[in-house]
Amino acid sequence: MGEEVNILGIETSCDETAAAVVADGRVIKSSVIASQAQLHEKYGGVVPEIASRAHIEKLYPVLSEAIERAGIDKDNIDAVAVANRPGLVVALIIGVTAAKTLAMAWKKPLISINHVHAHLQSAMMDEEQLDLPAVALIVSGGHTNIYECDTPLDLKLLGSTIDDAAGEAFDKVATILHLPYPGGPSIEKAAKNGNPKAINFPRSMLEAGSLDFSFSGIKTAVLYYCHGQDMKGQDKVPSMNEQEIADIAASFQTAVVDVLVAKTKSAADKLDAKTVLLGGGVAANSLLRKALEQMCEQAGRKLLVAPKPYCTDNAVMVASLAYYKYKAGQFADLTLEPKARGS
Ligand code: KG4
Ligand code: ZN
């Protein structure tokens, strides 16, 4: 074995400013995350201009801390990796510009990373090799994707959302219920004492056999439930008691999880998958983790789930995936640009 490969990862795709140093794709030497959730809370969602400015303010301290905590200096860093897509361009551009500057100044290779693919890496960091075929569900604030996954660099998109992402639905329903941003953890907390069968919200499966998702219908159903059909009534949420809110949260959460699990099962059945992977911010949801666990147990499939601290945005997943690109010689050049899209 040669020397270890240390990669500095940078992540600024949305509202977390993150940097990490990871050796050989799996040894986490440092991970620093500055969350902007508080800045966006009063708006009920991410405000791009505020996100961009906060990344500018936080990136230097976050980077310095990540390098210091890793106990290495620039000479021991073998490459600089950055998430350049998909995400908010005004946010991504801060990380991309910093990564390009460091790569140029330190004369290190630059590696571009697809943020959604990196989420999947969090679920397979500890695996030497996947038992194939493998199906991966990535559920975040911006994406709901199902992939067939052979290696960290070899992903085939099988299905995705045609409207809202799962996390986006959690965030929007939390706003409807006057619960704090980010909505996912708030809904999960509110749902704890709720009855998941209280309200039968729609579970959109689209046409038979489809591996695509749609979550805008359920969001509208919650809105109509709270404001009356076609939004013709008053907002009833302020006059609801805690139990009523808990019942709506639990019923919504269960409906979303039912759809996510059914679609993943359908993809896994189609491919006769031996392994199922779960990653992305919504993967932190305990009900989803448990439901997928049961599905996999019944079908004799191995489930690999991202550890909770690495479900939401972080730079470990960026530096970890970058290791495979490093080994494959897949480098970017200094013309690298941020991109809003990329699946
Ligand atoms: O992956 P992520 O940090 O950012 C994006 O790439 O979008 O995911 C953030 C999303 C948000 O929509 C948030 O509400 C959701 O993940 N989320 C959750 C939970 N924790 C975070 N959704 C459901 N349950 C949770 N516990
Ligand atoms: Zn993400």
Side-chain angles (χ1 to χ4, degrees):
M1 279 290 276
E3 297 260 298
E4 65 180 10
V5 174
N6 287 307
I7 297 185
L8 172 66
I10 300 174
E11 152 62 38
T12 63
S13 67
C14 191
D15 61 345
E16 261 97 26
T17 313
V21 176
V22 178
D24 297 337
R26 61 188 63 213
V27 182
I28 302 169
K29 293 200 162 172
S30 66
S31 173
V32 181
I33 304 172
S35 170
Q36 306 172 4
Q38 265 188 330
L39 296 177
H40 301 288
E41 187 176 348
K42 67 174 170 221
Y43 305 101
V46 176
V47 182
E49 166 83 13
I50 294 175
S52 183
R53 284 170 183 270
H55 286 310
I56 293 173
E57 192 188 316
K58 288 285 185 305
L59 190 51
Y60 177 70
V62 164
L63 269 168
S64 310
E65 198 179 329
I67 294 168
E68 195 186 313
R69 276 203 221 164
I72 57 174
D73 63 33
K74 66 176 173 51
D75 298 334
N76 305 112
I77 290 174
D78 297 285
V80 180
V82 64
N84 79 315
R85 68 195 187 282
L88 291 171
V89 168
V90 292
L92 288 163
I93 201 165
I94 311 303
V96 168
T97 305
K100 281 160 63 167
T101 307
L102 289 176
M104 188 169 69
W106 293 348
K107 300 186 174 52
K108 307 284 179 184
L110 178 68
I111 298 172
S112 72
I113 291 294
N114 178 315
H115 169 94
V116 183
H117 297 183
H119 269 301
L120 179 52
Q121 187 57 28
S122 295
M124 52 173 142
M125 260 183 86
D126 294 332
E127 291 303 300
E128 283 289 341
Q129 210 156 20
L130 295 175
D131 224 351
L132 299 177
V135 158
L137 174 68
I138 301 301
V139 265
S140 71
H143 293 82
T144 307
N145 291 353
I146 295 189
Y147 297 96
E148 179 177 1
C149 160
D150 286 353
T151 71
L153 298 182
D154 193 0
L155 305 182
K156 187 171 142 212
L157 188 65
L158 302 176
S160 59
T161 183
I162 60 166
D163 41 54
D164 292 350
E168 195 178 350
F170 270 93
D171 293 334
K172 286 178 175 169
V173 166
T175 303
I176 296 169
L177 297 179
H178 301 237
L179 296 171
Y181 174 85
S186 297
I187 298 258
E188 179 166 11
K189 193 167 157 219
K192 281 232 157 71
N193 300 317
N195 172 8
K197 293 192 178 136
I199 307 140
N200 189 18
F201 286 127
R203 285 135 169 91
S204 171
M205 295 294 173
L206 302 172
E207 68 273 16
S210 168
L211 294 176
D212 288 332
F213 299 88
S214 167
F215 292 109
S216 76
I218 185 166
K219 170 201 66 191
T220 307
V222 176
L223 191 64
Y224 285 179
Y225 186 87
C226 296
H227 289 246
Q229 195 64 25
D230 299 326
M231 299 281 293
K232 291 217 169 98
Q234 270 198 340
D235 180 3
K236 289 180 247 169
V237 176
S239 59
M240 286 180 187
N241 63 33
E242 227 172 273
Q243 189 59 51
E244 286 171 288
I245 304 269
D247 287 348
I248 299 172
S251 302
F252 163 78
Q253 179 177 254
T254 299
V256 171
V257 167
D258 281 355
V259 173
L260 292 173
V261 174
K263 294 276 179 175
T264 309
K265 181 178 184 312
S266 162
D269 287 348
K270 252 185 207 172
L271 267 68
D272 200 12
K274 292 204 172 67
T275 308
V276 173
L277 299 114
L278 174 67
V282 183
N285 186 277
S286 304
L287 185 70
L288 175 60
R289 295 168 88 92
K290 214 164 79 194
L292 268 186
E293 221 172 271
Q294 276 166 1
M295 184 273 273
C296 288
E297 214 175 279
Q298 276 162 14
R301 297 185 170 115
K302 183 171 180 178
L303 177 67
L304 299 173
V305 186
K308 278 198 183 182
Y310 298 110
C311 286
T312 45
D313 290 346
N314 65 85
V316 167
M317 64 189 198
V318 172
S320 176
L321 180 55
Y323 172 68
Y324 296 91
K325 290 191 111 178
Y326 181 92
K327 282 203 306 187
Q330 295 178 12
F331 299 115
D333 62 34
L334 294 175
T335 63
L336 182 70
E337 287 181 1
K339 291 203 174 86
R341 303 176 74 82
S343 53

